[in-house]
Amino acid sequence: MLGLMQDWPLTVDRILDHAKINFPRREAVTRSVEGPISRTTYGTVWRRAKQVTNALIERGIRPGDRVATLAWNTERHLEAWFGTMGMGAVLHTVNPRLFPEQIAWIINHAEDQVLFFDTTFAPIVDKIAPHLKTVKTFVAMTDRDHVPKSEVTHFVAYEDFIHGHAQEATWGGFDENTAAGLCYTSGTTGEPKGVLYSHRSNVLHAMAANQADVFGCGASDVVLPVVPMFHANAWAIAFVAPMCGSKLVMPGAKLDGASIYELLETEKVTFTAAVPTVWLMLLNHMREHNLKLSTLKRVAIGGSAVPEAVLRAFEEDYGVEVIHAWGMTEMSPIGSIGKLLPEHHAMDHESRIRAKLKQGRALFTVDMKIVDDEGAPKPHDGKAFGRLLVRGPAVARAYFKNAGARNDKGECLEPDGFFDTGDVATIDELGVMQITDRAKDVIKSGGEWISSIDIENIAVGAEGVANAAVIGVAHPKWDERPLLIVEPKPGAEPTREQLLAFIDGKIAKWWMPDDVVLVEKIPLGATGKINKLALREMFKDYKLPSAQAAE
Ligand code: AMP
């Protein structure tokens, strides 16, 4: 027997419709790429997004066609986002931090028809335009006065592109499983793969992401997504904010400590989200200038593990609650959240800090389990490591054009229908998960696993350390042993002995790095994470002193 409730497809156009009807005057503020702060409202974003739809239709875009953006978080990006998805076309957010060749490859693979880009990226667009096989229209997200000059490509100004188009257009009315967004994984292993979100997955994920124990935003919040829209939907915030009527503050191209601090204070931000590197920059800036945070209440941190020093600074020095989030592009992206449970509240401060360093428990809509190499479940005792597998309505089933298919249905799943995250984790008795490594980054020493992440998190707390990475280096006796690579803060010169002494006692003896090297800069990948592949390449011939002794 079927239920007798109304059929109301879960399509993302309803999110902006809801904002326009219920919060038409709520602001969306942008640090524009041109420079000044610009202010709009959800009502105006809605109207201009409709103009985007009409402009796209005029250029021949049909439902299912891909429309790319190479863009910062701005109000125009939000308009292009909803204008494209609303009509049933697919908004493909391209990560501008990839190499130009990769960007061209991705755009060709996606067969994008239109490319919206911020003027910051005009040099990239100019360089790749001759190699783009399907893009017919290049829209510079600015007005006519600011359109960059190009010898090669015809750039249309965004304001001209939408000018004169009607502020009404039909949105939605299609199956909720229709594709809405496309985002490629960063491609650190092999070719990038396209994750194709559906309207339904985005709506369900946004609702899950805004539960009280997750982001918990409401109409009185002011939300600053530093995390870019090209990182898996700005962690759902581009949907969450209009859904619940939060004021939205978007940082444009300026993600440095001073610029973010200024927005947090002048716009009275209450909730923000970004990867740890952004917060390291902000915290350094605040310390240097002896600044305080007057309105910020919660900060979501994810993308890589929250370093203990960052957690303590926010919670102990500035009174801001840290929400540790874990997820991945294939999960829309949030999978788990580090909000404490009543059992944690009963603990002392230090135990709570320890609990918060874990990646947290599954959101509703995510099933999570850890298994061994054969797929047998591992116990939830907080000690046993296993491959972390997930499933849910906002988890990828297959990649675009069946890339990386593992079965004849083109799916990228394990035989039991779970998705292998490529992470290795423990889950404790309370269901709290802790990532111990990427499967490919764990250090295999004497048949046991050492977590590179655990050591890195401790090392970044040592004096004079700006960033730290741990990789496995070949060892004749143990197979691999950990090497600690440290990027010192400007002017600091931490020694090997000081660093090892700092770590000693905080991890098992046999996890202690066999050696320490200082480097000027730890290489970061396109999503701001440590590029272990590059580090392994840099140190592939490195001889540990302990290895020489064992030979
Ligand atoms: P991406 O798809 O680029 O967002 O990368 C996803 C991967 O980032 C995950 O599979 C994890 O390895 C890593 N990651 C994301 N969030 C965290 C976190 N809070 N702690 C540790 N690793 C994380």
Side-chain angles (χ1 to χ4, degrees), residues 185-186 232 235 301-306 324-330 333 359 421-423 435 437-438 453 527 529:
T185 58
S186 39
W235 299 352
I301 310 182
S304 51
V306 174
H324 189 178
W326 164 85
M328 57 197 313
T329 308
E330 288 90 335
Q359 278 68 17
T421 63
D423 287 321
I435 300 283
D437 237 317
R438 285 297 287 168
I453 293 180
T527 50
K529 296 175 201 180

Side-chain angles (χ1 to χ4, degrees), residues 440-448 450 471-483 510 514 536 544:
K440 59 186 186 315
D441 294 339
V442 273
I443 298 156
K444 300 202 167 124
S445 179
E448 298 288 341
I450 298 175
I471 57 168
V473 173
H475 190 283
K477 181 167 173 200
W478 301 111
D479 192 16
E480 279 184 345
R481 289 295 301 157
L483 169 68
W510 65 277
D514 277 27
R536 276 197 284 270
L544 292 164

Side-chain angles (χ1 to χ4, degrees), residues 459 462-463 465 484 486 494-504 512 516 518:
E463 208 171 305
V465 175
L484 171 62
V486 165
T495 66
R496 176 183 194 278
E497 287 63 37
Q498 282 165 351
L499 291 163
L500 291 179
F502 181 81
I503 298 168
D504 197 12
M512 283 297 287
V516 181
L518 300 189

Side-chain angles (χ1 to χ4, degrees), residues 412-444:
C412 53
L413 304 176
E414 298 284 290
D416 64 356
F418 275 69
F419 176 83
D420 186 341
T421 63
D423 287 321
V424 174
T426 61
I427 299 179
D428 70 16
E429 296 82 354
L430 297 174
V432 179
M433 182 273 287
Q434 181 161 32
I435 300 283
T436 52
D437 237 317
R438 285 297 287 168
K440 59 186 186 315
D441 294 339
V442 273
I443 298 156
K444 300 202 167 124

